Amino acid sequence: MDSPRAASASAYLDTPQGPRVLAALDEIAATRSVDVATVALAWLAARPTVAAPIASARNTAQLLPLLASLTLDLTPAELSALTEASTV
């Protein structure tokens, strides 16, 4: 891992909900023809308990999906699928 944050993300993948969330993100991203990062940030921004999702990019290629999340409006069904996947 190249950061403590990445180590935390890796640990999340070892939980029961980690793979379910990734599968839901993959499905929605494929359906919408956007990057997984775009969907993930749009989902976080839509959650009432998240004040502001924090994301960073090391280059412009990584920045574009992050910016796209600002205009992606997830449907209630998509939000529900992601929330259900993240629930223990």
Side-chain angles (χ1 to χ4, degrees), residues 21 24-25 28 32 38-48 69 72-87:
V21 170
L25 288 168
I28 295 167
R32 295 293 206 98
T38 303
V39 177
L41 284 172
W43 174 42
L44 288 173
R47 295 179 60 91
S69 71
L72 180 65
D73 290 321
L74 297 172
T75 67
E78 291 168 334
L79 292 170
S80 178
L82 288 162
T83 300
E84 284 182 31
S86 69
T87 304

Side-chain angles (χ1 to χ4, degrees), residues 61-77:
Q62 292 177 344
L63 182 61
L64 297 176
L66 305 183
L67 293 174
S69 71
L70 298 172
T71 58
L72 180 65
D73 290 321
L74 297 172
T75 67

Side-chain angles (χ1 to χ4, degrees), residues 9-27 36 43 81-82 84-87:
S10 180
Y12 179 75
L13 294 177
D14 288 333
T15 66
Q17 62 271 29
R20 292 193 312 255
V21 170
L22 284 181
L25 288 168
D26 284 339
E27 182 178 334
V36 171
W43 174 42
L82 288 162
E84 284 182 31
S86 69
T87 304

